[in-house]
Amino acid sequence: GQQVMQIPQYQHVQEGEDFTTYCNSSTTLSNIQWYKQRPGGHPVFLIQLVKSGEVKKQKRLTFQFGEAKKNSSLHITATQTTDVGTYFCAGRDSNYQLIWGAGTKLIIKP
Amino acid sequence: EAQVTQNPRYLITVTGKKLTVTCSQNMNHEYMSWYRQDPGLGLRQIYYSMNVEVTDKGDVPEGYKVSRKEKRNFPLILESPSPNQTSLYFCASTPYHLNDSPLHFGNGTRLTVT
């Protein structure tokens, strides 16, 4: 079946370092959404990308949607403790169903 | 306040004892969905509903039932829970499934089946 692979599963960073998570789909997506889940919390919508090659920024977060609409990335510059959590991508397939990546957990090293 | 409300937040039960997890939204959303979250597997859809009296299976529907008799409520029913249904469950809603609106999630229900 259709899948969205998200890597890495975990990323440990020092505060102030950058963080990136990648999502790759086996098929072309209509759009892709990104969510953040804080520890003990629920997923919260961050952004949606629709156009091929689209890049959107939210302060220190940069979201990209690939030219072929099969991959996407989230990059956080200069991580802060408030960035801790798990980041999920969710791609919408041709049947308009959301296919979720397994998530990348951002951990700040003490 | 616009929200999705799930109850209970935590539930410990024994194998075979029927249980219901409630979900209610006050945003007049047409689409509602149930997910389970397990470590390393992300969010997997159990059932979804496009509107009242319309429900469909998601990726992992076995062992679960749902109903959508009213627009605001979408309960998840486990007729005979088993230990492999121990998980974190989320209910979510969105105004209309096909218009790309984001999902609004409830706070989650952590279920343990012994």
Side-chain angles (χ1 to χ4, degrees), chain B residues 47-64:
Chain B
Y47 270 95
Y48 64 96
S49 170
M50 303 275 279
N51 215 321
V52 176
E53 301 292 359
V54 180
T55 62
D56 277 297
K57 295 178 180 179
D59 298 317
V60 289
E62 294 77 22
Y64 304 95

Side-chain angles (χ1 to χ4, degrees), chain B residues 21-82:
Chain B
V21 183
T22 63
C23 175
S24 181
Q25 49 91 8
N26 62 0
M27 297 170 280
N28 201 36
H29 287 173
E30 284 86 2
Y31 181 91
M32 297 185 74
S33 180
W34 276 103
Y35 291 90
R36 61 178 287 172
Q37 184 176 21
D38 302 289
L41 296 177
L43 290 158
R44 293 182 292 169
Q45 191 176 49
I46 303 170
Y47 270 95
Y48 64 96
S49 170
M50 303 275 279
N51 215 321
V52 176
E53 301 292 359
V54 180
T55 62
D56 277 297
K57 295 178 180 179
D59 298 317
V60 289
E62 294 77 22
Y64 304 95
K65 284 175 57 176
V66 293
S67 68
R68 187 92 183 272
K69 297 177 182 175
E70 309 162 283
K71 199 171 191 178
R72 63 184 294 125
N73 295 323
F74 190 45
L76 179 69
I77 303 155
L78 284 71
E79 294 272 2
S80 182
S82 62

Side-chain angles (χ1 to χ4, degrees), chain A residues 20-46:
Chain A
T20 306
T21 174
Y22 301 90
C23 287
N24 288 289
S25 169
S26 55
T27 59
T28 302
L29 301 169
S30 302
N31 57 57
I32 194 159
Q33 297 178 348
W34 284 91
Y35 292 78
K36 176 184 179 181
Q37 183 180 20
R38 294 181 186 274
H42 58 276
V44 174
F45 175 77
L46 293 176

